[in-house]
Amino acid sequence: DVKVTQSSRYLVKRTGEKVFLECVQDMDHENMFWYRQDPGLGLRLIYFSYDVKMKEKGDIPEGYSVSREKKERFSLILESASTNQTSMYLCASSESGLEGGNIQYFGAGTRLSVL
Amino acid sequence: RKEVEQDPGPFNVPEGATVAFNCTYSNSASQSFFWYRQDCRKEPKLLMSVYSSGNEDGRFTAQLNRASQYISLLIRDSKLSDSATYLCVVTLIGGTSYGKLTFGQGTILTVHP
């Protein structure tokens, strides 16, 4: 089974702190994604990566950055956390290619509260 | 206009009922279509793909109407375990899309005894 592991289930941070959310996948997938999920808004793509050291902005990249130094690990960074970044963050991975690339496997999520 | 729109519900149905969810998408270049399921406090998981000819998986039937840019999911003989949020998902192929999925906001289904 594909496993996508997010380092924390719950995090509480203060405004202005630098926050790191870590995600590791064990299936050698090329593509990795970070989403946030908010009530009434659904999943929104923050950033994605289709290869090591490659990254692409998603729909809402402002206030976030990412790092992919190794194929299995994709980190989301909040340089200076703000209260409007309180949300559920979901990491996902998928294979490359037309077929496998459409099936994303998600981690269990990190619920981040910024006070 | 949102790229993918769903009726958020909630839909509350008794066991054994048939329930249908609808979804519309705005980009006519969309190539692939899916339904994902998300249980309460869990991550989304692929439920089924949606093909132009329509497809069925047990009690679940998915339909695609490209002309109307419309996707549907029909659940027959609802079970308590079907209670979840159902996410309509659309993808573009090519360019920098690389399997980028666009999610609807989800439709909440509650099946009661």
Side-chain angles (χ1 to χ4, degrees):
Chain A
D1 270 357
V2 175
K3 192 160 186 184
V4 180
T5 304
Q6 293 183 231
S7 53
S8 306
R9 288 301 304 273
Y10 300 95
L11 273 180
V12 180
K13 296 292 182 180
R14 296 206 175 274
T15 302
E17 278 194 75
K18 190 169 185 175
V19 181
F20 292 86
L21 302 183
E22 306 285 348
C23 175
V24 177
Q25 50 95 2
D26 65 358
M27 282 302 292
D28 202 36
H29 283 170
E30 287 77 13
N31 301 334
M32 295 190 74
F33 307 82
W34 274 106
Y35 296 88
R36 62 178 285 176
Q37 185 173 30
D38 301 288
L41 297 176
L43 275 84
R44 293 180 291 166
L45 182 64
I46 304 171
Y47 267 96
F48 64 104
S49 167
Y50 52 89
D51 202 353
V52 175
K53 296 192 186 295
M54 305 298 286
K55 60 185 179 184
E56 291 281 342
K57 292 181 180 179
D59 300 316
I60 51 164
E62 297 78 19
Y64 303 94
S65 62
V66 290
S67 172
R68 192 158 180 211
E69 296 296 317
K70 293 184 178 181
K71 191 175 186 180
E72 67 270 21
R73 187 179 297 270
F74 192 35
S75 303
L76 180 69
I77 303 152
L78 288 66
E79 293 288 342
S80 178
S82 63
T83 55
N84 63 11
Q85 292 178 310
T86 291
S87 186
M88 170 67 86
Y89 289 88
L90 289 159
C91 174
S93 72
S94 71
E95 298 175 357
S96 62
L98 293 179
E99 195 65 32
N102 288 321
I103 303 173
Q104 291 187 9
Y105 298 87
F106 285 83
T110 297
R111 187 166 293 281
L112 173 67
S113 296
V114 183
L115 306 178
Chain B
R1 183 184 173 190
K2 290 181 182 176
E3 288 187 60
V4 180
E5 292 205 61
Q6 297 179 246
D7 180 348
F11 286 67
N12 294 296
V13 303
E15 276 186 288
T18 295
V19 62
F21 308 136
N22 301 322
C23 170
T24 57
Y25 60 96
S26 61
N27 191 335
S28 59
S30 299
Q31 296 282 345
S32 300
F33 309 89
F34 307 89
W35 285 99
Y36 275 64
R37 170 194 169 131
Q38 186 173 22
D39 293 329
C40 187
R41 301 186 191 282
K42 298 280 190 178
E43 69 273 23
K45 292 184 179 178
L46 177 67
L47 176 66
M48 60 194 301
S49 302
V50 187
Y51 302 118
S52 297
S53 55
N55 50 297
E56 193 173 302
D57 182 2
R59 297 180 294 107
F60 297 81
T61 300
Q63 296 276 356
L64 167 64
N65 184 323
R66 285 190 183 272
S68 302
Q69 296 181 203
Y70 171 97
I71 305 158
S72 66
L73 177 68
L74 180 79
I75 305 175
R76 291 182 300 278
D77 189 23
S78 298
K79 311 292 184 191
L80 296 176
S81 57
D82 293 335
S83 297
T85 298
Y86 290 84
L87 303 168
C88 176
V89 181
V90 169
T91 186
L92 295 169
I93 301 294
T96 58
S97 295
Y98 291 100
K100 178 184 167 186
L101 305 182
T102 300
F103 288 80
Q105 65 180 40
T107 298
I108 299 170
L109 171 66
T110 301
V111 181
H112 57 82

